[in-house]
Amino acid sequence: MSETDPSSLKLPDIITSFEDPEKLFKVLEPLGEGSYGSVFKARHRETNQLVALKMVPISGEADSLRREVSILKDCDDQHIVKYYGSYYQDSGLEKNL
């Protein structure tokens, strides 16, 4: 698989880390699938905290990704999953919720 230069995707403003998300999180099970990607239950390897990972393929949808991340960053409500960051992987963008 050839590596894509993340700067060519015009997404650096929403990517919080280029560290390999597979080294940070252990995917435990699928939770659901939607129009833009799949959501998985995962565990942060260092803290053991359970998280939801949304894996979104990069396919020219930079504006909708940027909009979704912006909305998630601004949400601060006990009934809405907290956004922690976005990680780039050559196979797509992962959002850590």
Side-chain angles (χ1 to χ4, degrees):
M1 182 184 298
S2 67
E3 287 194 31
T4 303
D5 178 7
S7 63
S8 71
L9 300 171
K10 301 186 180 1
L11 294 174
D13 56 321
I14 63 170
I15 297 172
T16 54
S17 175
F18 288 98
E19 191 169 354
D20 183 356
E22 291 181 359
K23 291 181 180 174
L24 297 173
F25 304 98
K26 176 178 176 52
V27 175
L28 303 173
E29 63 185 274
L31 294 175
E33 194 164 328
S35 303
Y36 293 107
S38 301
V39 179
F40 297 88
K41 180 178 181 179
R43 184 177 303 280
H44 189 271
R45 292 182 188 274
E46 188 174 311
T47 66
N48 274 339
Q49 181 178 7
L50 289 175
V51 299
L53 290 179
K54 182 173 183 181
M55 297 184 192
V56 181
I58 307 278
S59 59
E61 298 289 334
D63 287 337
S64 62
L65 285 172
R66 193 174 280 107
R67 199 170 26 257
E68 182 177 357
V69 167
S70 176
I71 290 167
L72 288 170
K73 279 182 177 179
D74 292 340
C75 287
D76 187 20
D77 185 282
Q78 66 181 9
H79 301 291
I80 299 174
V81 176
K82 182 171 176 51
Y83 169 84
Y84 288 101
S86 299
Y87 304 86
Y88 176 79
Q89 189 176 35
D90 192 35
S91 60
L93 179 73
E94 292 191 13
K95 287 180 272 191
N96 176 18
L97 306 173

